[in-house]
């Protein structure tokens, strides 16, 4: 059996103004979360933002689902 990679980097990066964006794009985490919360599928999100990679969208959504407290804290701080 082949071993699988067990560690992956989440494709998120903080810009100089403190906003977290999908790495390599100008798409803010806030935007991706809002699309997911209104029921858009990862495929629909990529259709709306073609700069995004489908695997990255799934990865970011997975991160958001695994770390709801941290993400909510970030969103609350951004709203201020």
């Amino acid at each position: 059996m082949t071993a699988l990679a067990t560690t992956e980097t989440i494709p998120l990066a903080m810009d100089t103004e403190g906003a977290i964006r999908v790495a390599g794009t100008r798409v803010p985490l806030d935007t991706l979360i809002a699309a997911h919360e209104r029921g858009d599928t990862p495929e629909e999100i990529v259709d709306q933002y073609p700069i995004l990679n489908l695997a990255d969208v799934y990865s970011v959504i997975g991160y958001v689902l695994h770390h709801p407290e941290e993400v909510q804290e970030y969103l609350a701080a951004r709203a201020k």
Side-chain angles (χ1 to χ4, degrees), residues 28-68:
L29 176 60
D30 315 44
T31 298
L32 195 147
I33 291 171
H36 177 68
E37 287 180 345
R38 74 173 167 255
D40 295 353
T41 66
E43 290 80 6
E44 290 169 332
I45 295 170
V46 171
D47 285 344
Q48 294 167 32
Y49 304 96
I51 189 80
L52 297 176
N53 174 292
L54 183 59
D56 289 349
V57 172
Y58 272 103
S59 183
V60 170
I61 290 171
Y63 177 83
V64 169
L65 294 173
H66 282 297
H67 300 91

